Amino acid sequence: MKIRFLGKPKEIIGREVELDVGEIKLRDLLEKLPKEVRDLITDGEKLKMIVLINGISAESRGGLDALIQPEDELFIMPEISGG
């Protein structure tokens, strides 16, 4: 499974990580990332960044309880704001 990053997570872990996992909940997948990166993405209750699963928001698929398949691609990036 490929996970791609933008923003601060990319600075810490790199542009892309590949993990060898079976079907897994998003919350359990994030546990496999370094704590410093994980803490940027979630507070354990909700997502703090945009997480896309095959281009679809993880929020619309159950948030941290979204099921991820081994062939899925995740894209994680900070929310964009401006003013």
Side-chain angles (χ1 to χ4, degrees):
M1 168 181 314
K2 287 184 184 177
I3 307 173
R4 294 191 172 116
F5 301 94
L6 281 181
K8 188 69 172 172
K10 178 182 170 185
E11 292 174 19
I12 296 169
I13 200 168
R15 179 184 173 149
E16 183 175 293
V17 170
E18 198 153 341
L19 297 176
D20 185 21
V21 295
E23 182 178 84
I24 191 170
K25 284 187 177 184
L26 178 56
R27 75 174 63 248
D28 298 326
L29 178 68
L30 295 176
E31 285 294 320
K32 297 184 176 298
L33 298 176
K35 182 173 179 3
E36 184 179 10
V37 173
R38 187 173 61 244
D39 288 348
L40 292 172
I41 301 168
T42 180
D43 63 8
E45 300 289 323
K46 61 183 171 123
L47 293 169
K48 301 187 318 188
M49 291 193 161
I50 296 170
V51 178
L52 301 176
I53 304 165
N54 298 325
I56 300 171
S57 169
E59 291 292 348
S60 69
R61 293 181 62 177
L64 290 171
D65 290 322
L67 278 178
I68 313 293
Q69 302 299 320
E71 64 275 5
D72 289 344
E73 289 189 356
L74 275 71
F75 192 79
I76 299 174
M77 63 184 161
E79 293 188 13
I80 300 168
S81 62

